[in-house]
Amino acid sequence: MTRAITNLGVDGGRLWADIMALANITDPAAPFTRRSFSRLFADGRDWLTKRFHEAELETRIDAAGNLIGRIEGSDPRAGSIIVGSHTDTVPSGGRFDGIAGVAAGLEIVRVLRERKIALRHALEIVDFLAEEPSEFGLSCIGSRGMSGRLTAAQLQFSKPDGEKLSEALARVGGEPARLAEAKRSDIRAGFELHIEQGTVLETGAIDIGVVTAIVGITRIEVVFEGKAGHAGATPMHRRHDALVAAARLVDRVRILAEESAAQGRGYFVATTGVIEARPNASNIIPGSARLIIDARSESREALVEFRERLDRESLVLARAASVERPRFETLSDTLPSACDESLRQLLKTAANGLGLSFVDIASGAGHDTAFLSHIAPAAMVFIPCKDGASHCPEEWCEPKEVAAGTAVILEAVLEFDRGET
Ligand code: HGY
Ligand code: MN
Ligand code: MN
């Protein structure tokens, strides 16, 4: 029998103020930007640490660089519940992607404290390190670490200025040498609130999305090497223009993705979001070109097939442009991950009890929950965002929408805490 929903209100104004305050710790020239491992990211973490202390959370940075605020539970054998997301952004991103989820966790702690509710489980609010693709070419760094999936090879990835991920991890308070200690076995449930970053909820005037699964994401780096040369004095038949091969591959990425999406094997998208030509001057034939391709699907088989076709076709395009293709590297490769059915049910019951409409929804965006789901039952709540806009300054949602999503997770946490034996 489901306990009557207590309708614990969250303080929507306080929650909104947190989101705006954190969002405004940004590069003023490119709002809203707080890139992982940057000075601004550190400023955001300082701000969040102060809020955790005010909420009387025991605060630490784990070996994987995650910022964790913890309240012990009344039963030390019960294990932990996590409510978390991320505070880093993409360049010129939005105010809500990740931030809303961390602020929701903080608000839940405050309400529990104000109502003097002591959970049996420990409750942890987590800001996962570097959920967005970082300058190291890797995303979800903290949640990979917490789930034991951040590899020694990935720690050696370096960013353009040469710093290695292991060095940057230490710089933000992580301990690469003790990374194994970040892997958790005590988590009994994980919840994440996130803006949908799509238009299903908005167009359907639905309050809450209860996520079914998060797509698998494969990111591939391709480098073409030709020969730099004078743009004026080099006849067309004597050129080795790396950017010509790269440009043709960008179009093939789109075509292969459209073909895959049309095969009825579920959601499939692919994007070439990074393209660099060197030396990148108008009067020099590009001697080299670098692409990063991001492909996503609910179907593992479709992603593997896409990568194989891209591997073959990029070699053909290299030959056609009389250039080499020295690098075709899978930077990261995550499996599609399903959200936990019983936690999803708790979220639906909570939404229903709060008088909120809800719907099942798949996530085309990647999230830390995908990694958390490898070590614990995990589930996500989506809230609507205006026009589905995200990863841009226009990203927007309403205070009542964030408050509603937060209240749903609060109710689900309470129910889980009481029900789980
Ligand atoms: O790229 C994504 O799907 C997420 O926003 N990091
Ligand atoms: Mn994002
Ligand atoms: Mn996000």
Side-chain angles (χ1 to χ4, degrees), residues 235-258:
M236 295 312 286
H237 69 283
R238 291 174 55 81
R239 292 179 176 219
H240 304 275
D241 186 336
L243 191 54
V244 167
R248 289 172 177 162
L249 189 63
V250 170
D251 197 36
R252 288 302 300 162
V253 163
R254 180 183 57 80
I255 292 166
L256 293 181
E258 286 173 349

Side-chain angles (χ1 to χ4, degrees), residues 193-204:
L193 175 141
H194 208 287
I195 51 170
E196 179 197 337
Q197 300 174 303
T199 56
V200 169
L201 298 179
E202 184 183 52
T203 43

